[in-house]
Amino acid sequence: MKTDPLPESTDTIFSRDATWQAWLEVERALALTQAEQGMIPAAAAAEIARCATLDQLDREALAVDIERTLSPVMSLVRALAARCDGDAGGYVHLGATTQNIILTGKMLQLARSHRWLKAQLAAQLECLADLAERGAEWPCVSRTNRRHALPITFGYKVAGWIEELERNVERLEAVESRAFVLTFGGASGAMHSYGDEGQALAQALAARLGLGVSRVHSRAAVDGLVEYITTLGLYAAGCERLGQELYMLMANEFEEVSENQGEEVVGSSTMPHKFNPKYAVNLLAEAGELRSLVAPALETARPSHEGDAACNFRLYKLLDQAGALAYRVAATQSTLLTRLVPHPERMREILMANAAPLMSEHIMLELSDEIGRQRAHDLVHDAIVASRDGARTFAEALFEDDTVRRHYGDRDALERALSPEHYTGQSRQIALAMAASARDLAARLARELTEIPASAR
């Protein structure tokens, strides 16, 4: 079963009209659930459900009324009630309070963008799995503190990106049970309007909307949504790490990777020779913007008493920004990965440009059997220092030592030991294992998406 095509953007999910429609969806679900619980007439609920679409309301008149009342939900409730036939309008919004509707509507919007975000992550995992498999045996140099370290393979580098992305998927799934939770207890959350029927109503309404349910319906309990934004911030940081590394590897001094850009793409308005990275740059800019929402989100996690509109208004805006930005970041990263062109021959060229010193650890470990680890370290280090002025090579400096000559016998044997192409540790095995892991997770995410009804996607 195929999933629906992913949109270019989720911005429309958080538009004014989409927000109003989300509130109407909550009002519709509330009426139908109250009817099932015997709290309002079934005919009234059916009429409310019939009218609870934005297409049936006068948008401009609604906008004008909101300007007048400064109470968006109250204006919407009035418009919906007026649209209903008979006495059904009198049952709209029964026992609910403004934040119940706004916050629940926001969760419905976020849940939709969240599902699309996970679909993008599945696509990224597939791209990274392909890249890890292809690069499992491409030797390249690792860098620590931005200096050459040991030989690895490019697939091993990709494996690190895969594992971080898997952790971010795990975080995003873990936070679902705390973020997408119905809080629906009326004005102060203690079920004053619903009495003994309140908890049963909340349970049934949450089930209808596909949400979890709070045990204490405090309007000040927003930490789950704040956690959701911070989780998106961690995902953004992972995107920045991947993007920054690729951005650096695209520099002229490296050129280990490049972007497959169309012929019409212009690198610079004044330098025709320039082929600047585009997708990596966009990813870094967008991911940085998403990550920057974490600190403001934490500021909203401290509402006072049982409800605080000042904190809530800031949080609503941040949720809109984070939901739309997260998908944009994911879509940009997917584009970057699909347009990434690795250059394994250039990776090998850089690795071999000054290959022998990269094998210092290997030589040290081989000599340790004879003279101990610390003496071997000092011997190799001294040879590195002696070869820095270029008057002799690292191999020549090493071979001057009696221990080295005794161990290797001749220069050819030493030179073979100094070849880095096959000293890549478990790079290949790790790359292939993480590629398989990425494919398994991508398949699970895709399968779960297809199990969601199309109307909820």
Side-chain angles (χ1 to χ4, degrees), residues 369-428:
D369 291 340
E370 293 187 32
I371 60 175
R373 186 263 177 202
Q374 191 54 49
R375 284 184 61 197
H377 178 280
D378 293 343
L379 186 159
V380 175
H381 177 74
D382 289 345
I384 288 285
V385 172
S387 64
R388 279 179 178 169
D389 61 6
R392 49 190 165 163
T393 67
F394 176 49
E396 289 170 342
L398 272 176
F399 208 68
E400 290 175 1
D401 188 274
D402 291 340
T403 301
V404 174
R405 288 198 300 273
R406 184 171 61 251
H407 183 86
Y408 290 102
D410 56 48
R411 279 287 303 276
D412 288 342
L414 176 60
E415 293 288 355
R416 286 192 296 274
L418 290 172
S419 176
E421 293 182 276
H422 303 293
Y423 188 65
T424 58
Q426 293 291 299
S427 292
R428 177 182 180 277

Side-chain angles (χ1 to χ4, degrees), residues 32-303:
L32 291 173
T33 306
Q34 287 176 325
E36 290 177 353
Q37 301 290 310
M39 300 171 70
I40 69 172
E47 178 62 11
I48 293 169
R50 183 184 71 82
C51 297
T53 61
L54 198 56
D55 290 341
Q56 298 200 53
L57 304 182
D58 186 333
R59 290 176 173 82
E60 296 310 314
L62 178 58
V64 170
D65 196 59
I66 289 173
E67 287 291 326
R68 182 177 63 82
T69 66
L70 299 182
S71 179
V73 170
M74 191 65 241
S75 293
L76 188 81
V77 166
R78 285 174 176 169
L80 175 58
R83 181 69 182 80
C84 293
D85 292 336
D87 64 352
Y91 296 99
V92 174
H93 196 68
L94 188 65
T97 194
T98 291
Q99 193 190 0
N100 293 162
I101 304 302
I102 292 179
L103 199 54
T104 306
K106 194 61 61 189
M107 288 181 191
L108 297 182
Q109 293 171 281
L110 277 174
R112 188 167 292 125
S113 69
H114 181 73
R115 287 189 290 270
W116 285 345
L117 170 62
K118 288 170 69 174
Q120 283 285 4
L121 300 187
Q124 289 176 25
L125 286 163
E126 286 285 1
C127 285
L128 288 171
D130 288 341
L131 198 56
E133 287 176 345
R134 290 165 56 205
E137 299 190 30
W138 294 342
C140 65
V141 67
S142 68
R143 297 173 176 90
T144 59
N145 297 321
R146 302 200 174 191
R147 302 284 291 177
H148 286 194
L150 293 174
I152 56 170
T153 70
F154 189 72
Y156 172 81
K157 182 186 290 288
V158 177
W161 300 337
I162 289 173
E163 188 178 33
E164 184 167 7
L165 182 55
E166 288 185 344
R167 287 195 297 269
N168 278 309
V169 172
E170 182 181 345
R171 292 185 187 105
L172 285 166
E173 293 187 323
V175 78
E176 290 171 358
S177 64
R178 295 183 289 276
F180 302 125
V181 177
L182 178 72
T183 300
F184 213 94
S188 291
M191 301 294 180
H192 294 74
S193 302
Y194 303 123
D196 292 342
E197 299 174 304
Q199 292 291 3
L201 172 64
Q203 291 279 356
L205 180 58
R208 183 182 292 276
L209 294 172
L211 299 172
V213 63
S214 298
R215 291 179 294 171
V216 180
H217 293 265
S218 170
R219 293 164 51 191
V222 297
D223 55 288
L225 290 169
V226 172
E227 183 187 2
Y228 184 67
I229 295 176
T230 63
T231 303
L232 292 178
L234 275 172
Y235 168 64
C239 293
E240 286 182 280
R241 184 174 85 86
L242 181 151
Q244 187 64 51
E245 192 157 345
L246 291 174
Y247 190 29
M248 182 184 77
L249 293 177
M250 291 175 193
N252 292 96
E253 291 78 7
F254 301 101
E255 292 190 303
E256 294 187 12
V257 297
S258 63
E259 294 178 348
N260 179 17
Q261 300 175 0
E263 293 182 1
E264 300 302 317
V265 173
V266 176
S268 167
S269 63
T270 188
M271 294 175 286
H273 71 281
K274 292 275 279 182
F275 291 95
N276 291 331
K278 301 289 187 180
Y279 308 111
V281 168
N282 290 342
L283 177 62
L284 292 173
E286 292 168 358
E289 186 179 356
L290 176 57
R291 179 174 47 80
S292 73
L293 299 181
V294 171
L298 290 171
E299 290 297 312
T300 71
R302 305 174 298 150

